[in-house]
Amino acid sequence: MPSSRRFGRFEARIRIPRGPGLLPAFWMMGDRGDWPANGEIDVMENVGDHPGTVYGTVHGPGYSGEDDTGRGGETTIGADLSADFHTYAVQWAPDRIDFTLDGTTYKTVTPGNLPAGTTWVFNDQPFHLLLNVAVGGDWPGAPHDEVLPQEMVVDYVRVYAP
């Protein structure tokens, strides 16, 4: 299987860490060019001191950072996501990306959601997967020593062809 893919279903079953200053993420980066022109799909991000909220976001030229389409693209559940494993996924097609948590779609992004005059960069290149836990920074803020060490436990990562 190639290390990068274009379109399909991308999912991971993960138990995320919890605590101030932690930002666990399962995300995808376009293979061509520099950020944000190459595109980024955040399958899952969580701010560690908001354990019941998951964010799904896309970034590209003209819609990154504070101007991305991720604002309002979160879902809050009535449970602590760090207490158990959950399945985070995107179903990615040339003109649509659906974000799911445990099989339920909570956000859909299409070219029509992008700011006027910007380009949909999710239809002409493969993307590669990344999983990480960021510690500190503007978002999620400073970590507290008493929450460290932490770990993000990954049960599986699966990629399905369209």
Side-chain angles (χ1 to χ4, degrees):
M1 179 169 136
S3 59
S4 297
R5 300 288 296 202
R6 191 172 114 188
F7 311 135
R9 181 173 177 81
F10 301 78
E11 71 176 34
R13 186 169 181 265
I14 304 169
R15 188 177 69 223
I16 62 172
R18 176 183 180 174
L22 301 177
L23 184 71
F26 167 35
W27 54 298
M28 303 164 63
M29 183 75 71
D31 283 357
R32 290 198 309 253
D34 295 323
W35 190 88
N38 60 337
E40 176 182 330
I41 302 169
D42 295 320
V43 180
M44 175 279 296
E45 288 182 305
N46 169 264
V47 178
D49 58 352
H50 297 101
T53 302
V54 61
Y55 296 87
T57 314
V58 297
H59 303 274
Y63 49 102
S64 59
E66 293 299 316
D67 299 320
D68 62 52
T69 63
R71 304 298 177 243
E74 69 272 355
T75 188
T76 301
I77 66 170
D80 178 352
L81 290 165
S82 69
D84 202 354
F85 284 90
H86 294 276
T87 303
Y88 305 92
V90 292
Q91 184 70 40
W92 175 29
D95 61 351
R96 177 186 182 110
I97 302 171
D98 294 314
F99 294 80
T100 67
L101 171 62
D102 294 330
T104 301
T105 300
Y106 68 90
K107 178 180 181 178
T108 297
V109 179
T110 69
N113 298 112
L114 301 183
T118 61
T119 302
W120 179 259
V121 294
F122 306 101
N123 60 353
D124 65 350
Q125 66 176 316
F127 278 57
H128 56 274
L129 298 174
L130 301 103
L131 292 96
N132 68 289
V133 178
V135 179
D138 291 337
W139 193 58
H144 296 188
D145 287 344
E146 67 272 7
V147 304
L148 299 173
Q150 287 284 334
E151 64 182 0
M152 180 166 74
V153 181
V154 178
D155 182 31
Y156 64 78
V157 176
R158 296 181 179 154
V159 178
Y160 300 92

